[in-house]
Amino acid sequence: MAATRKKNRTARRILAVGAGLATVGALVAALPAGASQDAQDRHGSNGKGWGRMVDVQLLSFNDLHGHLEPPTGSSGRLTRLKADGTTELVPDVGGAEYLSTHLRQARKGHRYSITAAAGDMIGASPLLSGLFHDEPTIEALNAMKLDVSSVGNHEFDEGARELSRIQNGGCHPTEGCYEKGKRFKGAKFPYLAANVTDEKSGKPLLDPYFIWERDGVKIGFIGVTLEGTANIVSAEGIKGLKFGDEVETINKYAKVLERKGVKSIVALLHEGGLPASGAYNYDCDTPGAGAGISGPIVDIAKNITPQVDALVTGHTHQAYACTIPDPAGKPRTVTSAASFGRLYTDTTLTYDRRTKDIVRTAVASANHVVTRDVEEHGKITTLINRWKALAAPIANRPVGHIAESIDNPDGVIEKPMGNLIADAQLAGLSPADKGGAQLALMNPGGVRAPLTKGTDSVVTYGQAYTVQPFTNMMTVVDLTGAQLVTALQQQVSGANLAAPKILQVSRNFSYTLDMTKAGADRIVVDSVRLNGEPLDPSKSYRVAMNEFLTGGGDGFPVLATGANKLVGASDLDVFIAYLTANSSAAEPLRAPATDRITVVK
């Protein structure tokens, strides 16, 4: 089962759900006037791309997460590395209107241009998109002329059945159509999920690959999500699905594409790496190929067949354009464009018509900032305003006040926003009739945005929703002191060894994290304190956390062993209740101090 670029409508299946899907029309931009003689020789003297060598432009991005409006606070900034080795902040970046304009401008003069994404286009979205089950984001991606995307873990936030609707269209099964006379048409681009299969039949949930073709130039795309998706989404929505090994799956379908005569292949992979610098323009090939990047993508890239010519990645929300050696030891481009539409990657793939393959030595790739000094894309501006009008009665309701912005910075172990949420959960679940919680733990990935102070101190429902968009139910369970220590150790060991996930903790809980050590030894056990007192390994404590953590999500299996579970209100309701009860226009809330986790470096 595969998608091929055609002008007519093609059939598409998701677990036996058939539907038509209009593919994006062929791009018609010609080569710019005044092209050099060398370029004419490569692309054909008539300027129409019939020479032996053809430069194919690949524009890519990842982890948009429904950010249609320009992101705020730390979510709307980037770090730039300057020539002297110092860094500077690049403010006011991102926004779907501007991303679309930058993509349109980048395509000018390129007869062969493809736009691809590496997952998490939807899910964990701000209210403007999340309130409407991400229909606005799919409409925006259609308007951007996205050609193809892999799924990411967040495409499964509402389960496989909802993902089917997102691909094929139709009104929401319980909430119906949001606008009178308008039916959601679904994604015009194919979502690829080669490694997501039905446990019984073994058939892929979605198309495993997509073949882009123009003037005889063929590029194959294989899309996969991370194998660990089942550990980081709700189990109910993915019941009956299997998430396979990324390398094995990509290698399998690379052979399939080769048999179909497609030798130029790009993998869209929702898994990523961690560059040594957070600057978007850091050269992670210094001092050697891929030397400046770590994380899961390194081993994955080193084992994916050399038949694959480039990897577009995501998930870690980092920015990089590296070369990592393939199994044959030859350099291969691996890219990621941060998150929230703040960057896009422009990669040149030089296609040899005779061999039908990419000339790897000619591949060039770079990340570009989505600035807001360009004209907005009118169609997407209109789309945003239309959905904002529908959301306004809910989004604009005041729920609290802040004295300053409460940040959620990337790459920081303890975050002010994470501390505030943990405090809110402890306050909401500590009454005896609410669970009697003695401390609270919050998964860092569930904190999606900062609270950015505007011209006044008001926090709206829409802002609070953007911080906590999953609407997880809160729970309180019994865990022993020994189990709590194990949970802290699982932050930096086991599934989280390569990429630690540091839980955000309530104000009455503290410990030391020694980053000079390795694995579980990073937790200084005798430093763990609750209300200033050492934990008793055999004593039982009531712990508040969301249902995702109670299920062992994010690599915390010990949290799934808690006893005497009580289910409370949603995390969003608990958060809003805390903001309302603890702030006012006269006494707005300040950002909590980040003094709960002592870090030794």
Side-chain angles (χ1 to χ4, degrees), residues 408 412-423 425 440-445 447 491 501-506 509 511 544 549 594 596-597:
N408 184 48
V412 174
I413 284 175
E414 185 181 352
K415 308 181 182 189
M417 197 68 245
N419 284 355
L420 177 61
I421 291 172
D423 289 346
Q425 293 178 351
L441 304 175
M442 177 63 194
N443 57 305
V447 186
Q491 299 176 117
K501 291 187 176 69
I502 306 302
L503 297 166
Q504 308 295 282
V505 300
S506 53
F509 193 71
Y511 67 96
L549 282 177
T594 51
R596 304 170 191 187
I597 305 173

Side-chain angles (χ1 to χ4, degrees), residues 397-402 406 416-431 440 451 459 461 464 467-468 474 505-508 569-584 587-593 596:
R397 176 168 62 88
V399 296
H401 297 265
I402 52 175
I406 303 177
M417 197 68 245
N419 284 355
L420 177 61
I421 291 172
D423 289 346
Q425 293 178 351
L426 176 60
L429 282 301
S430 61
L451 280 179
V459 176
Y461 180 91
V467 172
Q468 292 239 265
M474 288 303 303
V505 300
S506 53
R507 61 164 59 97
N508 61 339
S570 76
D571 53 6
L572 179 60
D573 287 344
V574 168
F575 182 49
I576 288 174
Y578 184 83
L579 291 174
T580 302
N582 291 276
S583 68
S584 65
E587 295 186 38
L589 197 65
R590 303 202 72 87
R596 304 170 191 187

Side-chain angles (χ1 to χ4, degrees), residues 165-243:
R165 189 184 74 88
I166 289 294
Q167 176 73 91
N168 296 311
C171 298
H172 192 270
T174 58
E175 297 183 26
C177 295
Y178 296 109
E179 298 173 284
K180 187 176 181 179
K182 288 188 177 180
R183 182 180 180 275
F184 176 55
K185 296 180 180 179
K188 292 182 179 179
F189 57 91
Y191 261 123
L192 306 181
N195 66 331
V196 186
T197 56
D198 182 274
E199 285 182 336
K200 294 180 179 178
S201 70
K203 294 181 179 179
L205 171 72
L206 291 150
D207 290 335
Y209 60 85
F210 166 80
I211 301 170
W212 181 94
E213 181 177 6
R214 181 165 190 191
D215 298 338
V217 175
K218 295 181 180 181
I219 310 287
F221 291 84
I222 303 167
V224 300
T225 185
L226 70 153
E227 183 181 9
T229 292
N231 298 322
I232 52 177
V233 299
S234 174
E236 186 63 29
I238 58 169
K239 191 177 294 184
L241 295 180
K242 179 182 178 181
F243 293 82

Side-chain angles (χ1 to χ4, degrees), residues 475-486:
T475 62
V476 184
V477 299
D478 287 342
L479 290 171
T480 65
Q483 288 173 314
L484 279 167
V485 169
T486 298

Side-chain angles (χ1 to χ4, degrees), residues 224-558:
V224 300
T225 185
L226 70 153
E227 183 181 9
T229 292
N231 298 322
I232 52 177
V233 299
S234 174
E236 186 63 29
I238 58 169
K239 191 177 294 184
L241 295 180
K242 179 182 178 181
F243 293 82
D245 180 86
E246 303 97 332
V247 173
E248 290 178 6
T249 303
I250 292 171
N251 290 351
K252 170 185 173 180
Y253 283 104
K255 292 178 180 177
V256 172
L257 287 170
E258 284 265 355
R259 289 197 294 269
K260 289 180 174 290
V262 180
K263 296 182 179 180
S264 298
I265 302 171
V266 175
L268 305 176
L269 169 62
H270 192 71
E271 178 61 290
L274 302 165
S277 168
Y280 77 86
N281 58 337
Y282 165 70
D283 181 3
C284 50
D285 284 339
T286 303
I293 189 169
S294 60
I297 196 59
V298 177
D299 284 341
I300 290 173
K302 287 180 177 179
N303 286 285
I304 288 176
T305 174
Q307 291 171 290
V308 174
D309 299 296
L311 278 67
V312 177
T313 73
H315 188 56
T316 58
H317 290 202
Q318 302 297 304
Y320 48 84
C322 298
T323 57
I324 298 176
D326 68 16
K330 296 181 179 179
R332 177 168 52 195
T333 295
V334 181
T335 69
S336 176
S339 60
F340 309 150
R342 294 175 292 170
L343 291 173
Y344 71 91
T345 310
D346 191 336
T347 301
T348 300
L349 302 172
T350 300
Y351 183 93
D352 186 332
R353 285 186 181 276
R354 184 177 65 80
T355 65
K356 299 181 181 180
D357 207 350
I358 299 299
V359 181
R360 285 255 217 103
T361 55
V363 174
S365 187
N367 279 320
H368 299 275
V369 178
V370 175
T371 61
R372 300 177 194 168
D373 58 358
V374 296
E375 184 180 354
E376 301 98 327
H377 187 287
K379 188 173 183 179
I380 294 181
T381 301
T382 300
L383 178 155
I384 289 172
N385 290 336
R386 193 180 94 236
W387 288 104
K388 280 178 72 174
L390 290 172
I394 297 172
N396 297 332
R397 176 168 62 88
V399 296
H401 297 265
I402 52 175
E404 59 192 332
S405 293
I406 303 177
D407 218 345
N408 184 48
D410 288 334
V412 174
I413 284 175
E414 185 181 352
K415 308 181 182 189
M417 197 68 245
N419 284 355
L420 177 61
I421 291 172
D423 289 346
Q425 293 178 351
L426 176 60
L429 282 301
S430 61
D433 62 338
K434 303 294 184 183
Q438 295 169 272
L439 70 147
L441 304 175
M442 177 63 194
N443 57 305
V447 186
R448 303 306 301 185
L451 280 179
T452 304
K453 185 179 181 295
T455 53
D456 57 26
S457 65
V458 172
V459 176
T460 65
Y461 180 91
Q463 287 176 293
Y465 181 99
T466 299
V467 172
Q468 292 239 265
F470 295 110
T471 318
N472 274 306
M473 302 309 292
M474 288 303 303
T475 62
V476 184
V477 299
D478 287 342
L479 290 171
T480 65
Q483 288 173 314
L484 279 167
V485 169
T486 298
L488 297 180
Q489 293 171 331
Q490 287 175 350
Q491 299 176 117
V492 289
S493 64
N496 296 324
L497 179 63
K501 291 187 176 69
I502 306 302
L503 297 166
Q504 308 295 282
V505 300
S506 53
R507 61 164 59 97
N508 61 339
F509 193 71
S510 62
Y511 67 96
T512 296
L513 182 65
D514 188 347
M515 298 302 287
T516 67
K517 296 182 179 178
D521 290 338
R522 287 178 167 178
I523 304 301
V524 181
V525 175
D526 60 8
S527 72
V528 183
R529 296 285 188 275
L530 177 63
N531 298 318
E533 298 294 326
L535 285 183
D536 182 339
S538 61
K539 184 179 177 180
S540 182
Y541 299 91
R542 295 291 284 166
V543 184
M545 65 188 94
N546 59 43
E547 60 184 347
F548 173 67
L549 282 177
T550 310
D554 262 358
F556 292 98
V558 71

Side-chain angles (χ1 to χ4, degrees), residues 9 43 59 99 132 145 153 161 164 196 200 228 267 333 404 469 497 512 564:
R9 300 181 68 86
H43 296 281
L59 302 176
L99 173 60
F132 304 106
K145 298 185 178 180
N153 53 288
R161 193 173 297 275
S164 168
V196 186
K200 294 180 179 178
T333 295
E404 59 192 332
L497 179 63
T512 296
N564 299 320

